Amino acid sequence: MIVRNLTDARKTRRLVETAGWNSVRLLLKDDGMGFSFHITTIYEGAELPMHYRNHLESVYCVSGEGRIEDAGTGEEFPLRPGVMYALDKHDRHILRATTEMVMACVFNPPLNGLEVHDESGAYPLQVDVV
Amino acid sequence: MIVRNLTDARKTRRLVETAGWNSVRLLLKDDGMGFSFHITTIYEGAELPMHYRNHLESVYCVSGEGRIEDAGTGEEFPLRPGVMYALDKHDRHILRATTEMVMACVFNPPLNGLEVHDESGAYPLQVDVV
């Protein structure tokens, strides 16, 4: 059994910080769960265009308020605690945080923890080094 | 893009209720994400021995307090908001809720939504009907 907590993980390389958001990767590929699990904080006022070409992602809003726009259709959905969105078609999307938002995120395939967003807003799919 | 919220999903068959807990399955196998995602409420005072023989599960505590016991080793860990445990070895475990707890749960393989806990506390692995 693996047990981890956000406070301790924030002091390690599990914390990734960049413009507009930070993310704590509580589970990564090497944990062998077949998915990764992250607690991500989106800063108030952030507007983040994203496109995960190589991953499916689900995002559950734990706290805060904002909006998610499907960049393919222009459709917008309000985000508040209890709302989940899933990018089941690698959907291009724009995330907007009205207030700071805390999100519980699941990625399949799992991130290995070394990815950074590339210029398209995607995480590149890492090739395992044998 | 799939967008769902807890309030609406609670009024549907996505809500499963049983002694000690209820669970809202926001993502299931047929959503094609490769995992299922559930918001599960453990009632105050519940003591739940569980053993998922067929699934890996991660559980993130969103609110409330309790304890998780590794039934194989007897080791106990406190649960509070920000703590996650992952049953990476199909660990037998006992979940105890000091207060009502709300948990964000991920299952791999995904549940199809029809499973019930069997006498061992496991979800049987469903065979697809062709």
Side-chain angles (χ1 to χ4, degrees):
Chain A
M1 186 184 305
I2 299 165
V3 182
R4 294 190 179 122
N5 73 74
L6 212 51
T7 309
D8 291 345
R10 278 194 187 284
K11 299 170 189 163
T12 71
R13 292 183 62 190
R14 293 183 179 279
L15 172 67
V16 176
E17 294 184 277
T18 185
W21 57 273
N22 71 63
S23 185
V24 181
R25 284 88 184 266
L26 288 174
L27 288 172
L28 286 165
K29 182 179 179 180
D30 63 4
D31 292 311
M33 298 292 288
F35 56 84
S36 58
F37 181 83
H38 317 175
I39 298 296
T40 299
T41 302
I42 314 290
Y43 305 148
E44 180 176 328
E47 177 170 319
L48 305 171
M50 286 183 279
H51 188 194
Y52 297 126
R53 297 171 193 274
N54 303 308
H55 299 83
L56 301 175
E57 185 197 18
S58 73
V59 178
Y60 177 78
C61 181
V62 173
S63 66
E65 291 192 9
R67 301 186 70 77
I68 175 82
E69 177 182 338
D70 183 328
T73 65
E75 205 173 2
E76 274 204 334
F77 304 91
L79 298 175
R80 58 181 188 280
V83 176
M84 179 222 65
Y85 65 88
L87 306 162
D88 61 325
K89 298 183 182 70
H90 302 278
D91 315 70
R92 287 189 304 119
H93 60 290
I94 304 169
L95 189 57
R96 295 180 173 95
T98 311
T99 68
E100 179 177 281
M101 293 194 292
V102 176
M103 321 294 260
C105 308
V106 186
F107 279 82
N108 173 25
L111 297 199
N112 62 26
L114 302 175
E115 295 89 348
V116 291
H117 281 201
D118 66 17
E119 67 285 352
S120 75
Y123 285 123
L125 191 64
Q126 300 286 319
V127 176
D128 287 323
V129 178
V130 179
Chain B
M1 186 183 305
I2 299 165
V3 182
R4 295 191 179 122
N5 73 74
L6 212 51
T7 308
D8 291 346
R10 278 194 187 284
K11 299 171 188 162
T12 71
R13 290 182 63 189
R14 293 184 179 279
L15 173 66
V16 176
E17 294 185 277
T18 186
W21 57 273
N22 71 63
S23 185
V24 181
R25 285 88 184 265
L26 288 174
L27 288 173
L28 286 165
K29 182 179 180 181
D30 62 5
D31 292 311
M33 298 292 287
F35 56 85
S36 57
F37 182 83
H38 317 174
I39 298 295
T40 299
T41 302
I42 314 289
Y43 304 148
E44 181 177 325
E47 177 171 319
L48 305 171
M50 286 183 280
H51 187 194
Y52 297 125
R53 299 170 192 274
N54 303 308
H55 299 82
L56 300 176
E57 185 197 19
S58 74
V59 178
Y60 176 79
C61 182
V62 172
S63 66
E65 292 191 9
R67 300 185 71 77
I68 175 79
E69 177 182 338
D70 182 328
T73 65
E75 206 173 1
E76 274 203 335
F77 304 91
L79 298 174
R80 58 182 188 280
V83 176
M84 180 223 65
Y85 65 88
L87 305 162
D88 61 326
K89 298 183 182 69
H90 302 280
D91 316 69
R92 287 189 303 119
H93 60 289
I94 305 169
L95 189 57
R96 295 181 174 94
T98 310
T99 68
E100 179 177 282
M101 293 193 293
V102 175
M103 322 295 262
C105 308
V106 186
F107 279 81
N108 173 24
L111 297 198
N112 62 27
L114 302 175
E115 296 89 348
V116 290
H117 281 202
D118 67 16
E119 67 285 349
S120 75
Y123 285 122
L125 192 64
Q126 298 285 320
V127 176
D128 287 325
V129 178
V130 181

